[in-house]
Amino acid sequence: KASIILTTYNRPELLKRSLKSALSQTFKDYEIIIVDDCSGVPAEAPKGVRLVRHKLNMGLSAARNTGIKAAKGKYVVCLDDDNELMPSFLQKTVDNIGEYDAITTGRVIQYKNYAHNVVPRLSKFCPIDWGWLIKREVFDKIQYDEQMRANEDTDFGIRFHKKFKATVISD
């Protein structure tokens, strides 16, 4: 029902933490696809996880698009290797997406000795990055712009909000 697209490039320790969060979901009807953007990390995928490798470093947008094209789920969530999902993320978002095209939750921004809880506010300039559950059919109409090497999530968010509806769970 859901596909987690985990993108990585040269950060094996971060990838382990991020992958652990993906594997710890309480919702069980999902797949994990790791897209390695030409770093050779990991050497192989854990059992039940698909690994797709780029032969050239193409950037985050291309890595996300590659994973989305490989996804089999009705819903897609992108997860960068330096982020984590709470164990109940898929359960809460799948249960609450309803008529919306995308849904996200609050986040905990963790610094060395400081944590800050943030609930995204929707606007026409709201980035759509990691931690958004998005209906797969959205990607038939828009993708991440592979020419962009920065701010690709804001660009995608602007284009998304022109055509689609989103909501936020303030949890």
Side-chain angles (χ1 to χ4, degrees):
K1 194 164 193 176
S3 300
I4 298 175
I5 310 304
L6 204 168
T7 53
T8 190
Y9 177 72
N10 275 345
R11 301 194 292 190
E13 292 307 312
L14 292 177
L15 175 63
K16 286 178 190 174
R17 184 188 65 158
S18 185
L19 179 59
K20 182 179 177 185
S21 80
L23 291 166
S24 298
Q25 293 299 298
T26 57
F27 183 83
K28 295 302 179 195
D29 188 6
Y30 71 101
E31 66 176 344
I32 300 172
I33 302 167
I34 297 173
V35 181
D36 173 32
D37 195 21
C38 191
S39 67
V41 175
E44 58 185 50
K47 183 179 178 186
V49 175
R50 282 194 287 158
L51 176 61
V52 179
R53 293 190 191 281
H54 282 172
K55 292 181 180 177
L56 299 171
N57 178 261
M58 299 170 62
L60 180 58
S61 291
R64 285 182 180 163
N65 288 340
T66 295
I68 291 162
K69 287 174 190 160
K72 295 177 182 170
K74 178 179 179 180
Y75 305 107
V76 172
V77 59
C78 294
L79 178 62
D80 300 339
D81 61 7
D82 61 343
N83 296 307
E84 297 177 61
L85 297 174
M86 297 299 286
S88 61
F89 175 82
L90 282 178
Q91 189 70 58
K92 287 180 181 182
T93 55
V94 169
D95 286 350
N96 289 287
I97 195 166
E99 78 277 3
Y100 294 99
D101 300 298
I103 187 169
T104 192
T105 63
R107 300 173 180 201
V108 178
I109 309 298
Q110 180 71 49
Y111 300 98
K112 289 181 181 180
N113 296 314
Y114 176 77
H116 182 66
N117 295 327
V118 177
V119 177
R121 287 185 290 165
L122 297 178
S123 75
K124 61 184 176 181
F125 300 109
C126 179
I128 304 281
D129 55 0
W130 68 274
W132 282 79
L133 184 79
I134 303 170
K135 289 183 177 173
R136 174 68 183 85
E137 61 202 41
V138 166
F139 298 104
D140 295 335
K141 297 184 174 81
I142 60 173
Q143 296 83 41
Y144 287 91
D145 184 342
E146 296 183 17
Q147 301 304 308
M148 297 189 78
R149 290 296 189 150
N151 300 314
E152 68 287 327
D153 47 8
T154 301
D155 172 72
F156 184 86
I158 291 169
R159 291 182 293 117
F160 174 91
H161 290 292
K162 287 180 179 179
K163 297 181 179 185
F164 303 101
K165 297 184 307 180
T167 191
V168 174
I169 299 171
S170 61
D171 185 7

